Amino acid sequence: MAKNERHDSDQLNRGPSSGSGKKEKEVKAAKDRYRRSGSGSSGDKRKGLRIFVGTVNLSQAIPDEESLAAFLPHRGKVAYVLNSDVKSSAVVDGVSKRDFNKVDKHGKIEVIVLGFQECLPHPVSTGLSSAFGGLFNKNKIASADVRAGNTATAELDDMISAHIGEDYTLMMERLHSDMLMHVYVRKDLASSSSITDTHVQSAGVGGSKGFSIASTLNVDGTKLSFICMQLKDKVAVPVKASTITAAKKANLDQKNATAEEFLNVAGNPSVSSHHVFVFGDLNYLISPPSNTRGVKNTKEEEQFIARNMLHTKQWSAISACDELVNAMKKNDAFSAFSTPFCKFLPTYKVQRAAGIKYDYTNMPSYTDRILWRSNQEGKRQVEAIVYEPISQFSCSDHKPMRGLFFLPKNRKLHFDEENQPQSIMIAFTHLKAKKLRPKEDVMHSDINPYLQLVCGAKCVKLSKSSKNRTETQFTTDRPTWPTTSFRYKVDLTSSKRNGDEIERALLHIKCMNEGIRGTSEIGTAVLDLAYIISKSVSKKEWEQKEAETYFYLGGRQTGKLYYNIKVRWGD
């Protein structure tokens, strides 16, 4: 891209230069290409969905036009996020120059999802905690149109729509307390897209522990779940060093527990959708280790450490002190997800001005984050391309985070209807599990697991000689079922009709616990049916021994599943 098309706030505010007829022709040509192809891809560029996810805590202020223009892709144009002047710190680690250049920079982004926290001057009361089942929730706006809630959100809604432009359909908008979420789809994809589920949650009395909005978007059969969260500290951190550790640990444990609660929302999108994004003000802090004397740092010492690390750009040292990174490594929260390495200045707490300036009254931290997870295997996984804060955003004490993700086009299984058999048989044998961790903190003597296989695809049916669950193994976190097998039959009699369903089907192996408090879920392992079948296409038979995958619940690993799998074409 030419230098006069730089991706900076001035260019974004102006939009395309009106003095260049050549640019106008290029924009028109790009628009024509995406409308003809439906995918927005051209030439030898990779085909797939380009997904923009943005999040910002507005700190109870409506953004000005300049700030919003710097944050949002102008008219949805990919070139405002991907261009030759993207900072190296914004390109995600592991993305090669070839990968970067293979993503089509012409046309318009297919899916745009935005999350705003603290977007109201005076938050709407949400009543009691979601632990009460929402029976006493007073937030009428949670299930109403955004414009019915507050003039501030109506103003923000108009501003966003103006920047996004007329080539997008607003599929979902939801206000919950002072959190707002929008899902846009490019108009040429809107007819094959739908919102299948939307849920709101509050944790703690009046949302004192946080809020979330979860929505599932179906784009041409691919399920994309988006979960916007704000996690809050409830315990005030004292000034005395002797009690800082306990207060910080209490807050961290609470955030981890709230995140798990939000990820266990009805429908469990973490495992039921093909791809999942979590974003928002997760409020995980940078927490430096104790000093050389083994004594916890005072606030003054932490401020000195912060100034030194940021001034010298010690990104790895900062990451080692990141509560979220450590929680993921320790399997305390979000271990089922991925998030890019941060090689830029923290987004909080900053002065309300362009650029990034800290007053150091709070430890600068990466509180605003975007995470993702793919339940499909092989080459059909979400790829993070760009991940960056927007320093030009001037009206909040947080800087927004935005990411551009690429999802390769769904692979097609080619069936030969004349010569193929009527079905495919899939068998799971030699089942066993290890290191099971039920949600409840129980002794091994109360872990009584069994496995259950579930698939919602109509073309996948349980074999008549098979059961859909194992026997219960008692008092063990390392159960084995050497003689039990799951056998499923995939119907190919109408492969033209069932092809798309097969390509998008997910198999779920649930690990359940028959404890003294009743039956509860330990975790779910997700298997991609199309990926399994693709392994056997050339030979019509495929087998793998000692395959393994993880059980997940609430975004955490809760155990490991081992199995043998055999695929055979024909009854």
Side-chain angles (χ1 to χ4, degrees), residues 303-314:
Q303 290 171 12
F304 175 81
I305 294 170
R307 289 176 187 271
N308 180 56
M309 288 196 298
L310 296 178
H311 179 71
T312 55
K313 298 182 179 181
Q314 300 178 43

Side-chain angles (χ1 to χ4, degrees), residues 320-374:
C321 304
D322 187 342
E323 288 181 344
L324 176 60
V325 171
N326 290 321
M328 294 171 73
K329 287 180 178 178
K330 295 176 182 177
N331 196 27
D332 291 333
F334 295 112
S335 57
F337 289 80
S338 300
T339 191
F341 177 72
C342 297
K343 44 188 178 179
F344 44 76
L345 293 172
T347 57
Y348 177 83
K349 183 177 184 180
V350 299
Q351 295 179 17
R352 296 177 188 249
I356 297 181
K357 300 175 183 178
Y358 305 104
D359 57 17
Y360 292 99
T361 55
N362 294 76
M363 185 71 177
S365 298
Y366 301 107
T367 57
D368 310 278
R369 305 297 270 266
I370 303 172
L371 304 90
W372 76 94
R373 145 176 193 80
S374 289

Side-chain angles (χ1 to χ4, degrees), residues 110-255:
E110 284 77 14
V111 178
I112 298 176
V113 181
L114 305 172
F116 299 89
Q117 306 85 49
E118 297 183 22
C119 65
L120 298 181
H122 302 288
V124 181
S125 172
T126 55
L128 298 178
S129 166
S130 60
F132 293 88
L135 293 175
F136 305 102
N137 193 325
K138 299 177 182 178
N139 183 12
K140 301 294 186 182
I141 304 168
S143 57
D145 184 87
V146 171
R147 293 180 174 277
N150 189 286
T151 55
T153 56
E155 180 184 351
L156 178 60
D157 191 45
D158 289 338
M159 294 171 68
I160 294 170
S161 297
H163 281 282
I164 296 298
E166 298 178 353
D167 287 330
Y168 287 88
T169 297
L170 178 59
M171 303 296 295
M172 191 282 294
E173 57 180 352
R174 184 58 61 93
L175 177 68
H176 180 49
S177 181
D178 57 354
M179 178 183 287
L180 179 65
M181 180 170 153
H182 284 179
V183 177
Y184 292 89
V185 170
R186 211 174 59 195
K187 277 189 175 179
D188 59 304
L189 297 174
S191 61
S192 60
S193 303
S194 62
I195 295 292
T196 57
D197 294 289
T198 299
H199 301 275
V200 297
Q201 286 183 290
S202 305
V205 177
S208 58
K209 296 180 183 178
F211 302 101
S212 78
I213 303 173
S215 188
T216 298
L217 171 69
N218 189 317
V219 182
D220 195 24
T222 298
K223 285 186 177 181
L224 306 171
S225 284
F226 301 94
I227 306 174
C228 182
M229 293 185 186
Q230 182 177 20
L231 308 179
K232 296 184 179 181
D233 284 335
K234 193 175 182 181
V235 180
V237 177
V239 177
K240 292 183 179 180
S242 59
T243 52
I244 285 177
T245 303
K248 284 189 172 182
K249 185 179 185 306
N251 279 329
L252 181 57
D253 290 344
Q254 175 187 285
K255 284 180 282 195

Side-chain angles (χ1 to χ4, degrees), residues 23-37 40-42 50 77 104-108 186:
K23 283 185 187 175
E24 292 179 0
K25 289 180 180 178
E26 288 176 352
V27 171
K28 185 178 184 301
K31 185 181 291 188
D32 290 341
R33 274 198 300 274
Y34 96 71
R35 282 178 173 168
R36 285 198 305 269
S37 65
S41 298
S42 61
R50 293 159 297 184
K77 294 175 185 177
D104 195 351
K105 300 170 186 61
H106 297 283
K108 300 195 175 186
R186 211 174 59 195

